[in-house]
Amino acid sequence: MSFDLVLFGGTGDLAWRKLLPALFQAWRHGSIPNDARIIGVARDSLSNDDYRALIASRLDVVESDKRPSTEEFTRFASLLHYLRMDLTATPDYERLAHMLRERDAQTVVLYLATAPNLFTTACEQLGAVGLNTPRTRVVLEKPLGHDLASNRDINAAVRRVFDEWQIFRIDHYLGKPSVQNLLALRFGNALFEPLWRRETIGSVEITIAEQLGVAKRGAFYESTGALRDMVQNHALQLLCAIAMEPPINAHADAIRDEKLKVLRSLVPWSPITLTRDVVRGQYTAGTLGGEQVPGYRQEAGVAPDSRTETFVALRAEIANWRWAGVPFYIRTGKRMAAHEAHIAVNFRPAPHPIYRTPLGMSNRLVIHLQPRDGLALHLFSAGSNKRGARAADVQSLAPVQLDLDFDTRFGKERVGAYERLLLDVIAGRLNLFVRADEQEAAWRWIEPIMQSWQESDEGPRPYPAGSWGPSAASALVARDGNTWMEEC
């Protein structure tokens, strides 16, 4: 199948850090044919050779096993082309349309890796020059708006030009092998489904911790913050994967219908829960990896009196028969103690314990998302099996762990998140992409949090870089006896 991929924002940070390395890996693995065409679009005045040299210099800094050799890049570079465009100028879109019609590829992918405020203009212009045919797909990067109203406006504008089946809203967490393994764990095995309910699960914890700060993205982060950047999309999509009902089949809308039910079942916020169940913080200067790092307000592009949150912890509940009364905890932040993303499913204690179990511990299933990919099942075993054990230990249990490392089991050369998603766009598979009504439901749920912060005199709580965030976050789970602040 011949295809053209037009990368709007082709010289930007996302393009050279994520998209072009992913496209190179797909080509290296034989998933992209040699007659494909990748067209970078930006305002810079570059020739095709200039653009290829720019991308070559960027690929020099990716992980060593993903870095092309000189011979490989020479062959891959033949796919790369460049077109200078002003995304507000109609004649430039006409030049792009002419370039695409000359080749007449079977599939055209238009990837908008630009600022969200350009999505509406770009889609209107693409429609005006006839680049919205049935063979066209458009990819929208997050954030899709900054609140519910702007999200609706963007989606309405895009849908005036493209049909829903042509629109691919990316959440790169859904492309991670670990998240796909989560769905396979739930719906490909009979083992856990009978236990996947409020009678046996006491709580669920979702942690997305980053050691990095905002780096050069301070100005962007100032208008975004952790709630918009991570909770509205990544964290809530993970919550949906854990909490959704089994879909009737593996088709895109069957899966997305079930996710939407979860988002619509989230208990709305009240003045009491907004105060009691939400914590925000902002990192200050601290030590990470033995090095001093600046605080958020000292980062480039950040206001010296900024109230933007770099940490969020919250407690959510789902009002349905499966999950009523089970707390779901979400924690995400920058400049935290570790680079770690995982989901911990905490099971309830045995209804009639005949053994002594370690204080404060329970059976847990930990789904590791990054940097490692795997499952760890925390169980108890007889504590008297060691030599020299006392008679009193006969009725005591000790923790044991069953560990499945997917990286070891399946190898490191699995398809990465952006590679998987890009290949799905080319193939027209929507399973791992977010539907408009999902986005709206997520924005509707978090918007009261944003409004309460705007109206509050109290800003985010400071926490030193290299910590696990505000200690107040542990209070959210203290009454449920969990280990929220522990590293899994």
Side-chain angles (χ1 to χ4, degrees), residues 53 70 124 150 201 208-209 277 338 355 402:
T70 302
E124 288 172 349
S150 59
I201 292 177
I208 307 174
D277 294 346
Y355 296 101
L402 301 179

Side-chain angles (χ1 to χ4, degrees), residues 240-471:
C240 288
I242 283 288
M244 63 189 277
E245 294 296 321
I248 58 172
N249 54 44
H251 296 160
D253 279 332
I255 294 170
R256 299 190 293 183
D257 286 346
E258 298 303 335
K259 288 195 295 177
L260 180 62
K261 290 177 186 177
V262 173
L263 292 167
R264 287 177 172 171
S265 299
L266 287 167
V267 176
W269 297 101
S270 69
I272 292 175
T273 58
L274 282 169
T275 301
R276 184 190 67 195
D277 294 346
V278 183
V279 174
R280 61 173 167 157
Q282 186 185 90
Y283 67 83
T284 58
T287 304
L288 261 173
E291 294 185 5
Q292 283 293 119
V293 295
Y296 177 70
R297 293 183 180 183
Q298 286 77 56
E299 302 277 17
V302 174
D305 58 348
S306 172
R307 287 164 53 97
T308 298
E309 78 288 353
T310 62
F311 173 93
V312 177
L314 59 84
R315 182 184 193 273
E317 290 193 21
I318 299 171
N320 63 22
W321 276 40
R322 183 184 289 265
W323 296 112
V326 176
F328 285 74
Y329 302 103
I330 293 173
R331 172 182 63 180
T332 183
K334 290 189 173 294
R335 290 292 191 208
M336 298 182 73
H339 174 61
E340 167 76 12
H342 62 260
I343 303 168
V345 180
N346 301 303
F347 292 93
R348 297 187 187 278
H352 177 61
I354 62 173
Y355 296 101
R356 287 192 295 272
T357 57
L359 186 64
M361 298 187 70
S362 65
N363 297 138
R364 309 174 77 212
L365 174 67
V366 180
I367 301 153
H368 293 282
L369 306 174
Q370 64 182 29
R372 57 175 297 213
D373 177 7
L375 301 173
L377 183 59
H378 297 253
L379 303 172
F380 297 119
S381 179
S384 59
N385 289 334
K386 295 185 294 184
R387 286 195 179 95
R390 298 172 302 168
D393 292 334
V394 171
Q395 290 185 324
S396 297
L397 297 179
V400 295
Q401 180 174 313
L402 301 179
D403 205 340
L404 175 59
D405 187 327
F406 289 141
D407 288 331
T408 301
R409 173 63 182 83
F410 299 113
K412 293 279 188 181
E413 276 299 304
R414 286 179 294 155
V415 176
Y418 269 105
E419 184 181 349
R420 169 78 281 144
L421 294 172
L422 286 163
L423 291 174
D424 279 3
V425 174
I426 294 166
R429 292 188 294 264
L430 282 157
N431 298 49
L432 300 179
F433 295 85
V434 183
R435 206 167 57 191
D437 49 8
E438 288 181 74
Q439 284 187 330
E440 290 189 12
W443 278 115
R444 189 177 295 110
W445 187 70
I446 71 161
E447 200 162 61
I449 303 175
M450 301 186 325
Q451 291 171 349
S452 73
W453 288 348
Q454 289 171 355
E455 297 165 1
S456 173
D457 294 330
E458 183 181 352
R461 306 181 189 205
Y463 65 96
S467 73
W468 275 111
S471 58

Side-chain angles (χ1 to χ4, degrees), residues 229-250:
D229 190 41
M230 298 298 290
V231 176
Q232 186 273 335
N233 39 75
H234 302 328
L236 286 183
Q237 285 294 320
L238 293 177
L239 183 146
C240 288
I242 283 288
M244 63 189 277
E245 294 296 321
I248 58 172
N249 54 44

